[in-house]
PDB file of all heavy atoms in Angstrom:
ATOM      1  N   ALA A  26     -10.068 -14.678 -21.139  1.00 38.00           N
ATOM      2  CA  ALA A  26     -11.026 -13.663 -20.703  1.00 38.00           C
ATOM      3  C   ALA A  26     -12.232 -14.270 -20.016  1.00 38.00           C
ATOM      4  O   ALA A  26     -12.979 -13.565 -19.336  1.00 38.00           O
ATOM      5  CB  ALA A  26     -11.489 -12.846 -21.902  1.00 38.00           C
ATOM      6  N   GLN A  27     -12.429 -15.600 -20.157  1.00 38.00           N
ATOM      7  CA  GLN A  27     -13.647 -16.183 -19.619  1.00 38.00           C
ATOM      8  C   GLN A  27     -13.727 -16.141 -18.101  1.00 38.00           C
ATOM      9  O   GLN A  27     -14.785 -15.841 -17.542  1.00 38.00           O
ATOM     10  CB  GLN A  27     -13.784 -17.629 -20.121  1.00 38.00           C
ATOM     11  CG  GLN A  27     -13.964 -17.725 -21.634  1.00 38.00           C
ATOM     12  CD  GLN A  27     -15.133 -16.884 -22.103  1.00 38.00           C
ATOM     13  OE1 GLN A  27     -16.208 -16.936 -21.533  1.00 38.00           O
ATOM     14  NE2 GLN A  27     -14.916 -16.077 -23.128  1.00 38.00           N
ATOM     15  N   PRO A  28     -12.637 -16.472 -17.329  1.00 38.00           N
ATOM     16  CA  PRO A  28     -12.768 -16.373 -15.872  1.00 38.00           C
ATOM     17  C   PRO A  28     -13.163 -14.985 -15.409  1.00 38.00           C
ATOM     18  O   PRO A  28     -13.901 -14.834 -14.444  1.00 38.00           O
ATOM     19  CB  PRO A  28     -11.364 -16.759 -15.382  1.00 38.00           C
ATOM     20  CG  PRO A  28     -10.812 -17.619 -16.472  1.00 38.00           C
ATOM     21  CD  PRO A  28     -11.356 -17.032 -17.739  1.00 38.00           C
ATOM     22  N   ARG A  29     -12.670 -13.931 -16.097  1.00 40.00           N
ATOM     23  CA  ARG A  29     -13.047 -12.583 -15.692  1.00 40.00           C
ATOM     24  C   ARG A  29     -14.539 -12.362 -15.894  1.00 40.00           C
ATOM     25  O   ARG A  29     -15.222 -11.765 -15.064  1.00 40.00           O
ATOM     26  CB  ARG A  29     -12.248 -11.557 -16.491  1.00 40.00           C
ATOM     27  CG  ARG A  29     -12.549 -10.130 -16.096  1.00 40.00           C
ATOM     28  CD  ARG A  29     -11.678  -9.158 -16.835  1.00 40.00           C
ATOM     29  NE  ARG A  29     -10.274  -9.438 -16.578  1.00 40.00           N
ATOM     30  CZ  ARG A  29      -9.288  -8.869 -17.255  1.00 40.00           C
ATOM     31  NH1 ARG A  29      -9.537  -8.020 -18.214  1.00 40.00           N
ATOM     32  NH2 ARG A  29      -8.028  -9.164 -16.962  1.00 40.00           N
ATOM     33  N   ALA A  30     -15.091 -12.865 -17.013  1.00 38.00           N
ATOM     34  CA  ALA A  30     -16.521 -12.719 -17.245  1.00 38.00           C
ATOM     35  C   ALA A  30     -17.311 -13.468 -16.183  1.00 38.00           C
ATOM     36  O   ALA A  30     -18.324 -12.982 -15.673  1.00 38.00           O
ATOM     37  CB  ALA A  30     -16.870 -13.244 -18.636  1.00 38.00           C
ATOM     38  N   ARG A  31     -16.840 -14.690 -15.856  1.00 36.00           N
ATOM     39  CA  ARG A  31     -17.535 -15.438 -14.807  1.00 36.00           C
ATOM     40  C   ARG A  31     -17.434 -14.722 -13.474  1.00 36.00           C
ATOM     41  O   ARG A  31     -18.368 -14.733 -12.671  1.00 36.00           O
ATOM     42  CB  ARG A  31     -16.930 -16.839 -14.701  1.00 36.00           C
ATOM     43  CG  ARG A  31     -17.259 -17.733 -15.888  1.00 36.00           C
ATOM     44  CD  ARG A  31     -16.975 -19.175 -15.542  1.00 36.00           C
ATOM     45  NE  ARG A  31     -15.561 -19.406 -15.274  1.00 36.00           N
ATOM     46  CZ  ARG A  31     -14.667 -19.704 -16.212  1.00 36.00           C
ATOM     47  NH1 ARG A  31     -15.042 -19.798 -17.476  1.00 36.00           N
ATOM     48  NH2 ARG A  31     -13.410 -19.909 -15.889  1.00 36.00           N
ATOM     49  N   ALA A  32     -16.277 -14.088 -13.225  1.00 39.00           N
ATOM     50  CA  ALA A  32     -16.114 -13.379 -11.961  1.00 39.00           C
ATOM     51  C   ALA A  32     -17.092 -12.235 -11.850  1.00 39.00           C
ATOM     52  O   ALA A  32     -17.700 -12.016 -10.807  1.00 39.00           O
ATOM     53  CB  ALA A  32     -14.679 -12.855 -11.844  1.00 39.00           C
ATOM     54  N   ARG A  33     -17.268 -11.489 -12.956  1.00 41.00           N
ATOM     55  CA  ARG A  33     -18.212 -10.382 -12.913  1.00 41.00           C
ATOM     56  C   ARG A  33     -19.621 -10.881 -12.663  1.00 41.00           C
ATOM     57  O   ARG A  33     -20.380 -10.305 -11.882  1.00 41.00           O
ATOM     58  CB  ARG A  33     -18.156  -9.617 -14.229  1.00 41.00           C
ATOM     59  CG  ARG A  33     -16.901  -8.744 -14.364  1.00 41.00           C
ATOM     60  CD  ARG A  33     -16.866  -8.065 -15.706  1.00 41.00           C
ATOM     61  NE  ARG A  33     -15.677  -7.239 -15.826  1.00 41.00           N
ATOM     62  CZ  ARG A  33     -15.105  -6.932 -16.983  1.00 41.00           C
ATOM     63  NH1 ARG A  33     -15.596  -7.392 -18.098  1.00 41.00           N
ATOM     64  NH2 ARG A  33     -14.034  -6.156 -17.017  1.00 41.00           N
ATOM     65  N   ALA A  34     -19.981 -11.978 -13.319  1.00 38.00           N
ATOM     66  CA  ALA A  34     -21.326 -12.497 -13.135  1.00 38.00           C
ATOM     67  C   ALA A  34     -21.541 -12.968 -11.706  1.00 38.00           C
ATOM     68  O   ALA A  34     -22.608 -12.790 -11.127  1.00 38.00           O
ATOM     69  CB  ALA A  34     -21.563 -13.649 -14.113  1.00 38.00           C
ATOM     70  N   SER A  35     -20.492 -13.564 -11.109  1.00 40.00           N
ATOM     71  CA  SER A  35     -20.664 -14.111  -9.765  1.00 40.00           C
ATOM     72  C   SER A  35     -20.798 -13.028  -8.717  1.00 40.00           C
ATOM     73  O   SER A  35     -21.303 -13.278  -7.627  1.00 40.00           O
ATOM     74  CB  SER A  35     -19.472 -15.009  -9.415  1.00 40.00           C
ATOM     75  OG  SER A  35     -18.321 -14.230  -9.177  1.00 40.00           O
ATOM     76  N   ARG A  36     -20.339 -11.836  -9.038  1.00 37.00           N
ATOM     77  CA  ARG A  36     -20.402 -10.783  -8.029  1.00 37.00           C
ATOM     78  C   ARG A  36     -21.827 -10.316  -7.794  1.00 37.00           C
ATOM     79  O   ARG A  36     -22.154  -9.836  -6.711  1.00 37.00           O
ATOM     80  CB  ARG A  36     -19.557  -9.585  -8.492  1.00 37.00           C
ATOM     81  CG  ARG A  36     -18.082  -9.855  -8.404  1.00 37.00           C
ATOM     82  CD  ARG A  36     -17.301  -8.566  -8.498  1.00 37.00           C
ATOM     83  NE  ARG A  36     -17.314  -8.002  -9.816  1.00 37.00           N
ATOM     84  CZ  ARG A  36     -16.371  -8.216 -10.735  1.00 37.00           C
ATOM     85  NH1 ARG A  36     -15.386  -9.020 -10.485  1.00 37.00           N
ATOM     86  NH2 ARG A  36     -16.431  -7.637 -11.911  1.00 37.00           N
ATOM     87  N   VAL A  37     -22.660 -10.423  -8.806  1.00 35.00           N
ATOM     88  CA  VAL A  37     -24.018  -9.915  -8.685  1.00 35.00           C
ATOM     89  C   VAL A  37     -24.801 -10.815  -7.747  1.00 35.00           C
ATOM     90  O   VAL A  37     -24.951 -12.009  -7.968  1.00 35.00           O
ATOM     91  CB  VAL A  37     -24.703  -9.859 -10.061  1.00 35.00           C
ATOM     92  CG1 VAL A  37     -26.118  -9.334  -9.919  1.00 35.00           C
ATOM     93  CG2 VAL A  37     -23.896  -8.979 -11.007  1.00 35.00           C
TER      94      VAL A  37
END
Side-chain angles (χ1 to χ4, degrees):
Q27 295 305 313
R29 182 176 302 170
R31 289 196 297 272
R33 285 177 180 154
S35 72
R36 287 195 288 266
V37 180

